[in-house]
Amino acid sequence: MTILRNKTPGDPSGDPARLARRLIRGRGQAALATSLARDDARGHPYASLVATACDIAGNPLMLLSDLAQHSANIKVDSRVSLLFEDTGAHADPLAGPRLSLLGDARPVEDDAARARFVARHPTAARYADFADFRLYRVTASRGHLVAGFGRIEWIDGAQLRIDTDFSALAQAEAGIVEHVNRDHADAVALYAARLSRKDGEGWRMTGIDPEGIDLRKEAETARIEFAETFAHPTAARAALIALADAARAL
């Protein structure tokens, strides 16, 4: 089994759609563009910063207050754009990878998706169940990827999410995460230290999906990708063991 370590999304050897999906899954925030719903400036572009997570298929999730201007905008026009970027390590931010995602944002009642959002953003547990907060799922129609010099292209929305049958993994996700954090904290520490080159103790797994795992320590997060896509819990567990073996070999 081949393991893909924490490559930068702009790696020119990578598949553009996979690089785009990695940006979506790997970032915990995005710039959200909506169409202003105010009468004094109706239709004007409005940009805001939002916390994001993903459902297991890779669709972006946002937990928004009804009182926020962007929520009022989405209620009138559900078309949105999200900018995901990983430019912090670049002296020239424009040299870093980024994805402008075009899609449709709709409120959803999905306990699994809500749990994934809270796992990604633990402080959201304080207000996730408030009546004036809603979970939105963004269904992508297209994405514009800038992944380095000469790597600029449009990607169809269907390529920005996993379209295989991953229902078994989705049902098993919570149990896998709980088991790994409870019984294999040493492996999680190895994932963070040797595969993501992250310092410190206290790392925990917050999610597993067909393409990789998400880790968190306090406010810091890490994304580790598999080289293959795994839709079944048995294969995903084998991938976790392979990750630990790869980490120990470094």
Side-chain angles (χ1 to χ4, degrees), residues 12 38 90 93 110 112 131 133-134 148 154 158 160 168 175 182 215 241 243 248:
R38 292 174 56 95
H90 295 264
D110 186 327
F133 274 82
R134 301 182 194 281
W154 284 97
L160 297 177
R182 183 186 64 236
L215 308 180
I241 293 171
L243 277 182
R248 292 188 184 98

Side-chain angles (χ1 to χ4, degrees), residues 127-163:
Y127 51 82
D129 294 324
F130 286 5
D132 60 344
F133 274 82
R134 301 182 194 281
L135 186 70
Y136 289 79
R137 176 182 285 122
V138 179
T139 302
S141 57
R142 300 180 79 191
H144 189 240
L145 177 70
V146 180
F149 182 75
R151 294 295 309 277
I152 303 173
E153 49 194 301
W154 284 97
I155 301 170
D156 185 74
Q159 295 181 278
L160 297 177
R161 49 189 173 266
I162 302 296
D163 59 1

Side-chain angles (χ1 to χ4, degrees), residues 83-115:
L83 173 63
F84 297 93
E85 55 82 20
D86 189 16
T87 62
H90 295 264
D92 177 5
L94 296 182
R98 59 265 194 199
L99 173 74
S100 296
L101 182 150
L102 280 62
D104 188 76
R106 302 280 181 174
V108 294
E109 294 293 337
D110 186 327
D111 291 341
R114 186 177 294 266

Side-chain angles (χ1 to χ4, degrees), residues 35-44 76:
S35 181
L36 200 58
R38 292 174 56 95
D39 288 337
D40 57 350
R42 185 172 294 272
H44 200 89
V76 173

Side-chain angles (χ1 to χ4, degrees), residues 23-99:
L23 269 174
I24 296 169
R25 290 192 186 274
R27 312 308 293 168
Q29 67 284 326
L32 168 66
T34 55
S35 181
L36 200 58
R38 292 174 56 95
D39 288 337
D40 57 350
R42 185 172 294 272
H44 200 89
Y46 177 86
S48 54
L49 181 67
V50 293
T52 60
C54 289
D55 64 16
I56 200 165
N59 297 298
L61 302 171
M62 307 180 294
L63 185 63
L64 307 179
S65 168
D66 289 344
L67 302 177
Q69 182 62 56
H70 46 227
S71 299
N73 298 344
I74 291 171
K75 187 175 181 179
V76 173
D77 186 345
S78 61
R79 293 174 301 171
V80 302
S81 180
L82 287 165
L83 173 63
F84 297 93
E85 55 82 20
D86 189 16
T87 62
H90 295 264
D92 177 5
L94 296 182
R98 59 265 194 199
L99 173 74

